[in-house]
Amino acid sequence: MVQLPKQPVPSSPAPPAVPTSADVARLAGVSRATVSYVLNNTRAVRISEPTRRRVHEAAEELGYVPHAAARSLRAGHSRMVLMPAPNVPVGALYSQFLNELQWALSRLDYTVVQYGSIGLQGDEAARAWAELRPVAVLVPGAGLGPQGVHVLKRSGARAVLTLGPERVEGAHTLLLDHDGVGHSAGAHLLARGRRGVGVVLPLEDGLALYSRPRLEGVRRALRGTGAAVTELPLAYEEESAARLAARWRSLCLDAVFAYNDEYAMLLMRALQDEGVDVPGETAVVGADDLMLGRLLRPRLSTVHIELPSGRELAELVDRVVRDPAGVPEVHQVLGARIVHRESS
Amino acid sequence: MVQLPKQPVPSSPAPPAVPTSADVARLAGVSRATVSYVLNNTRAVRISEPTRRRVHEAAEELGYVPHAAARSLRAGHSRMVLMPAPNVPVGALYSQFLNELQWALSRLDYTVVQYGSIGLQGDEAARAWAELRPVAVLVPGAGLGPQGVHVLKRSGARAVLTLGPERVEGAHTLLLDHDGVGHSAGAHLLARGRRGVGVVLPLEDGLALYSRPRLEGVRRALRGTGAAVTELPLAYEEESAARLAARWRSLCLDAVFAYNDEYAMLLMRALQDEGVDVPGETAVVGADDLMLGRLLRPRLSTVHIELPSGRELAELVDRVVRDPAGVPEVHQVLGARIVHRESS
């Protein structure tokens, strides 16, 4: 633990007053309305270039910045797209998608705000988000129920979209088709002649939402083929992997779909330490197509996952904001294809 | 690319009006002030339990949520702590730190909002943040200059803190001492008898801010010892690592500090593919202490990095909010210690 020293708090003078648009108007010698027109870039009103410049200079000199809240109160709505920040560590793939989405929304003149929902349960989170009066809410994962959607809409959100494995009533849903990820892995292992397929189910919180549909996808691929599926609970710890590897041969498996590349790397190492030959005795497949998987020997086979493009998703948000009463849409939006390397 | 279908936009009725506190007051049969007292939990005013209940029931029935912006306009300040979201993918270590910090701030009754600064240059970002009128701004990385600090303070931010490798004038600074990370690695390699130390400098955008002070730390550890430092630019790609490994023996190095564990894994694999013995011919040290480093053979030596505790940082934010005029403090807040495994 790094200690921050506890310093005594000195008594202090009051901070300087925050400059207002009235201060700017006074300094520039114009009306408050003119300040508002200039700083909010209102094109409907003609204002001469010298006046515009005077207002900007006065704002600069005073350090005045418009108040987004006041502006949204006046306009009756905001341009804020609220995105709850995910509570689980996000991978490089998801980070890149988020960046692309934020970029695309800012191009459409939306402001993206990520809101932590840590410490909030269920609809409490939706109420906290609603207090900020976002014009759109885009919820990754599965933190939002139908009641939460209702609260958000009643407080003025024109677009509520979820991005997760399940449909939420009242919201537009981008269904992340994790079933398809498992199906790709299962079909590949079957094609490689494997008949006893283990499927890793991470024990870490919050991942069942993704691992369960992936498991179902494997089952679907193997249905009616005579191949069998075995569920393998696994914690992301060396000890947990070592215990599983120690009883591996008693499980009579010739393949494993390890949820993602990180669990696959963990389990493959443990199997190798037990003397299990990969892929000879057991084929191993991960998911996410991380670069690190290529550095292993044998190189890790994986399912490459394609998220929707940030630009298209931004356009969907904008379309729903313009037409808030449209029937909620459901889109399947996860591409999955096997990348066959050496471990399977 | 996953395509979202472009659906025709049906014409639609206007959305229902957003309920206001006046609607709640009418339904509950009380004044608007009473609604405000009850829903904002004002303890200074005595309100009977049945009245409180009536207000809560009316709010629930109407789906009314207080407007944070209106409340902060009335109160003159908010409880919003704004944190710019990092633009680079964050590791598991940093994610955990962020979660802990958000949790601790919510315990102190602050609302944490992460704001993307994508597409904004320099002080533009500070102005966009200022529009939300946060009471505190906590900036990770190095996106904020002295002018930005000034803009934020002038718009009412009582606490501006930065968390990065450099001091920013006017802000409280939590100095992430990356020099110390490099120093740990350098001192360890020296103690292991190494005399030619390569230091990886990632070519990826935004990382020089961290890699330069780490390099300086290695130099500091080796100064006056006769050991030499060689800079090794490296992109996070197999081809880049293979090219470096191919000319490895001409560099006359017996050790490398590889910036972090991911670059270390990449480079160690490339060296092994070239037949370079690790650690016999070349010792390899990473940083971050990722679990994956333990799965390699040889197991990766690393620098374990300790970020400040979220709870202590939350308390510092709260202290500065209460005393905004205090002299800006500078704290060194990165713990670094070597974890010696097999690769060095």
Side-chain angles (χ1 to χ4, degrees), chain B residues 103-138:
Chain B
W103 183 270
L105 283 168
S106 73
R107 285 301 176 100
L108 293 173
D109 204 28
Y110 290 98
T111 293
V112 179
V113 164
Q114 281 188 64
Y115 194 117
S117 50
I118 287 174
L120 299 174
Q121 296 294 320
D123 297 328
E124 244 187 295
R127 267 190 293 274
W129 303 336
E131 287 203 8
L132 292 175
R133 295 291 191 272
V135 70
V137 183
L138 181 58

Coordinates of all heavy atoms in Angstrom, one line a residue, chain B residues 103-138:
Chain B
W103 N -15.4 3.3 -6.4 CA -16.2 2.8 -5.2 C -15.9 3.7 -4.0 O -16.9 4.1 -3.3 CB -15.7 1.4 -4.9 CG -16.4 0.8 -3.8 CD1 -16.1 0.8 -2.4 CD2 -17.6 0.0 -3.8 NE1 -17.0 0.2 -1.7 CE2 -17.9 -0.4 -2.5 CE3 -18.4 -0.4 -4.9 CZ2 -19.1 -1.1 -2.2 CZ3 -19.6 -1.1 -4.6 CH2 -19.9 -1.5 -3.3
A104 N -14.7 4.1 -3.7 CA -14.4 4.9 -2.6 C -15.0 6.3 -2.7 O -15.5 6.9 -1.7 CB -12.8 5.0 -2.4
L105 N -15.0 6.9 -3.9 CA -15.6 8.2 -4.1 C -17.1 8.1 -3.9 O -17.8 9.0 -3.4 CB -15.3 8.7 -5.5 CG -13.9 9.3 -5.7 CD1 -13.5 9.5 -7.1 CD2 -13.7 10.6 -4.9
S106 N -17.8 7.0 -4.4 CA -19.2 6.9 -4.2 C -19.6 6.8 -2.7 O -20.6 7.3 -2.3 CB -19.8 5.8 -5.0 OG -19.4 4.5 -4.5
R107 N -18.7 6.2 -1.9 CA -18.9 6.1 -0.5 C -18.9 7.5 0.1 O -19.5 7.7 1.2 CB -17.8 5.3 0.2 CG -17.9 3.8 0.0 CD -19.2 3.3 0.5 NE -19.4 1.9 0.3 CZ -19.3 1.0 1.2 NH1 -18.8 1.3 2.4 NH2 -19.5 -0.3 0.9
L108 N -18.1 8.4 -0.5 CA -18.0 9.8 0.0 C -19.1 10.7 -0.6 O -19.0 11.9 -0.6 CB -16.6 10.4 -0.2 CG -15.5 9.7 0.6 CD1 -14.1 10.2 0.1 CD2 -15.7 10.0 2.1
D109 N -20.0 10.0 -1.3 CA -21.2 10.7 -1.9 C -20.8 11.5 -3.1 O -21.5 12.4 -3.5 CB -21.8 11.6 -0.8 CG -23.3 11.8 -1.2 OD1 -23.9 11.0 -1.8 OD2 -23.8 12.9 -0.8
Y110 N -19.8 11.1 -3.8 CA -19.5 11.7 -5.1 C -20.0 10.8 -6.2 O -20.0 9.6 -6.1 CB -18.0 11.9 -5.3 CG -17.4 13.0 -4.4 CD1 -16.7 12.7 -3.2 CD2 -17.4 14.3 -4.7 CE1 -16.2 13.6 -2.4 CE2 -16.9 15.3 -3.9 CZ -16.3 15.0 -2.7 OH -15.8 15.9 -1.9
T111 N -20.3 11.5 -7.3 CA -20.7 10.8 -8.5 C -19.5 10.8 -9.5 O -19.0 11.9 -9.7 CB -21.9 11.5 -9.2 OG1 -23.0 11.4 -8.3 CG2 -22.2 10.9 -10.6
V112 N -19.1 9.7 -10.0 CA -17.9 9.7 -10.8 C -18.4 9.6 -12.3 O -19.1 8.7 -12.6 CB -17.0 8.5 -10.5 CG1 -15.8 8.5 -11.5 CG2 -16.5 8.6 -9.1
V113 N -17.9 10.5 -13.1 CA -18.2 10.5 -14.5 C -16.9 10.4 -15.3 O -16.0 11.2 -15.1 CB -19.1 11.7 -14.9 CG1 -19.1 11.9 -16.4 CG2 -20.5 11.6 -14.3
Q114 N -16.9 9.4 -16.2 CA -15.7 9.4 -17.0 C -16.0 10.0 -18.4 O -17.0 9.6 -19.0 CB -15.3 7.9 -17.3 CG -14.5 7.3 -16.1 CD -14.0 5.9 -16.5 OE1 -13.2 5.8 -17.4 NE2 -14.5 4.9 -15.9
Y115 N -15.2 10.9 -18.8 CA -15.5 11.6 -20.0 C -14.4 11.3 -21.1 O -13.3 11.4 -20.8 CB -15.4 13.1 -19.6 CG -16.0 14.0 -20.7 CD1 -17.1 14.8 -20.3 CD2 -15.5 14.1 -21.9 CE1 -17.7 15.7 -21.2 CE2 -16.1 15.0 -22.8 CZ -17.2 15.8 -22.5 OH -17.7 16.6 -23.4
G116 N -14.9 10.9 -22.2 CA -14.0 10.6 -23.3 C -13.4 11.9 -23.9 O -14.2 12.9 -24.0
S117 N -12.1 12.0 -24.1 CA -11.6 13.2 -24.7 C -11.1 13.0 -26.1 O -10.3 13.7 -26.7 CB -10.4 13.7 -23.8 OG -9.5 12.6 -23.6
I118 N -11.7 11.9 -26.7 CA -11.3 11.5 -28.1 C -11.7 12.6 -29.0 O -12.8 13.1 -29.0 CB -11.9 10.2 -28.4 CG1 -11.2 9.1 -27.7 CG2 -11.9 9.9 -29.9 CD1 -11.8 7.8 -27.8
G119 N -10.8 13.0 -29.9 CA -11.1 14.0 -30.9 C -10.9 15.4 -30.4 O -11.1 16.4 -31.1
L120 N -10.5 15.6 -29.1 CA -10.3 16.9 -28.6 C -8.8 17.1 -28.4 O -8.1 16.3 -27.9 CB -11.0 17.1 -27.2 CG -12.5 16.9 -27.3 CD1 -13.1 16.9 -25.8 CD2 -13.1 18.0 -28.1
Q121 N -8.3 18.3 -28.7 CA -6.9 18.6 -28.6 C -6.6 19.5 -27.5 O -7.3 20.6 -27.3 CB -6.4 19.3 -29.9 CG -6.5 18.4 -31.2 CD -5.5 17.2 -31.1 OE1 -4.4 17.4 -30.6 NE2 -6.0 16.1 -31.5
G122 N -5.7 19.2 -26.6 CA -5.2 20.1 -25.6 C -6.3 20.7 -24.7 O -7.1 20.0 -24.1
D123 N -6.3 22.1 -24.7 CA -7.2 22.7 -23.8 C -8.7 22.7 -24.2 O -9.6 22.9 -23.4 CB -6.8 24.2 -23.6 CG -5.4 24.3 -23.0 OD1 -5.1 23.4 -22.2 OD2 -4.7 25.3 -23.3
E124 N -8.9 22.3 -25.4 CA -10.3 22.0 -25.9 C -11.0 21.0 -25.0 O -12.1 21.1 -24.6 CB -10.2 21.4 -27.3 CG -10.8 22.2 -28.4 CD -10.8 21.3 -29.7 OE1 -9.7 20.9 -30.2 OE2 -11.9 20.9 -30.1
A125 N -10.2 20.0 -24.6 CA -10.7 18.9 -23.7 C -11.1 19.5 -22.4 O -12.2 19.3 -21.9 CB -9.7 17.8 -23.6
A126 N -10.2 20.4 -21.8 CA -10.5 21.0 -20.5 C -11.8 21.8 -20.6 O -12.6 21.8 -19.7 CB -9.3 21.8 -20.1
R127 N -12.0 22.5 -21.7 CA -13.2 23.3 -21.9 C -14.4 22.5 -21.9 O -15.5 22.8 -21.3 CB -13.1 24.2 -23.1 CG -12.6 25.6 -22.8 CD -12.7 26.6 -23.9 NE -11.9 26.2 -25.1 CZ -10.6 26.6 -25.2 NH1 -10.0 27.3 -24.3 NH2 -9.9 26.1 -26.2
A128 N -14.4 21.3 -22.6 CA -15.5 20.4 -22.7 C -15.8 19.9 -21.3 O -17.0 19.7 -20.9 CB -15.2 19.3 -23.7
W129 N -14.8 19.5 -20.6 CA -15.0 19.0 -19.2 C -15.6 20.1 -18.4 O -16.6 19.8 -17.6 CB -13.7 18.5 -18.6 CG -13.0 17.5 -19.4 CD1 -13.5 16.6 -20.3 CD2 -11.6 17.2 -19.3 NE1 -12.5 15.8 -20.8 CE2 -11.3 16.2 -20.3 CE3 -10.5 17.8 -18.6 CZ2 -10.0 15.6 -20.5 CZ3 -9.2 17.2 -18.9 CH2 -9.0 16.2 -19.8
A130 N -15.2 21.3 -18.5 CA -15.6 22.4 -17.7 C -17.1 22.7 -17.9 O -17.8 23.1 -17.0 CB -14.8 23.7 -18.0
E131 N -17.6 22.4 -19.1 CA -19.0 22.6 -19.4 C -19.9 21.8 -18.5 O -21.1 22.2 -18.3 CB -19.4 22.3 -20.9 CG -18.8 23.3 -21.8 CD -19.6 23.3 -23.2 OE1 -20.6 22.5 -23.2 OE2 -19.2 24.0 -24.1
L132 N -19.4 20.7 -18.0 CA -20.3 19.8 -17.1 C -20.2 20.3 -15.6 O -20.9 19.8 -14.8 CB -19.8 18.4 -17.2 CG -20.1 17.7 -18.5 CD1 -19.5 16.3 -18.5 CD2 -21.6 17.6 -18.8
R133 N -19.4 21.3 -15.4 CA -19.3 21.9 -14.0 C -19.0 20.9 -12.9 O -19.7 20.8 -11.9 CB -20.5 22.7 -13.7 CG -20.8 23.9 -14.6 CD -19.8 25.0 -14.3 NE -20.2 26.3 -14.9 CZ -19.9 26.6 -16.2 NH1 -19.2 25.8 -17.0 NH2 -20.2 27.8 -16.7
P134 N -17.9 20.1 -13.1 CA -17.6 19.1 -12.1 C -17.0 19.8 -10.9 O -16.4 20.9 -11.0 CB -16.6 18.2 -12.7 CG -15.9 19.1 -13.7 CD -17.0 20.0 -14.3
V135 N -17.2 19.3 -9.7 CA -16.6 19.8 -8.5 C -15.2 19.4 -8.4 O -14.4 20.1 -7.8 CB -17.4 19.4 -7.2 CG1 -17.2 18.0 -6.9 CG2 -17.0 20.3 -6.0
A136 N -14.8 18.3 -9.0 CA -13.4 17.9 -9.0 C -13.1 17.2 -10.3 O -14.0 16.6 -10.9 CB -13.2 16.9 -7.8
V137 N -11.9 17.3 -10.7 CA -11.4 16.7 -12.0 C -10.1 15.9 -11.7 O -9.2 16.5 -11.0 CB -11.2 17.7 -13.1 CG1 -10.8 17.0 -14.4 CG2 -12.4 18.6 -13.3
L138 N -10.1 14.7 -12.0 CA -9.0 13.8 -11.8 C -8.5 13.3 -13.1 O -9.1 12.5 -13.7 CB -9.4 12.7 -10.8 CG -8.4 11.7 -10.4 CD1 -7.2 12.4 -9.7 CD2 -9.0 10.7 -9.5

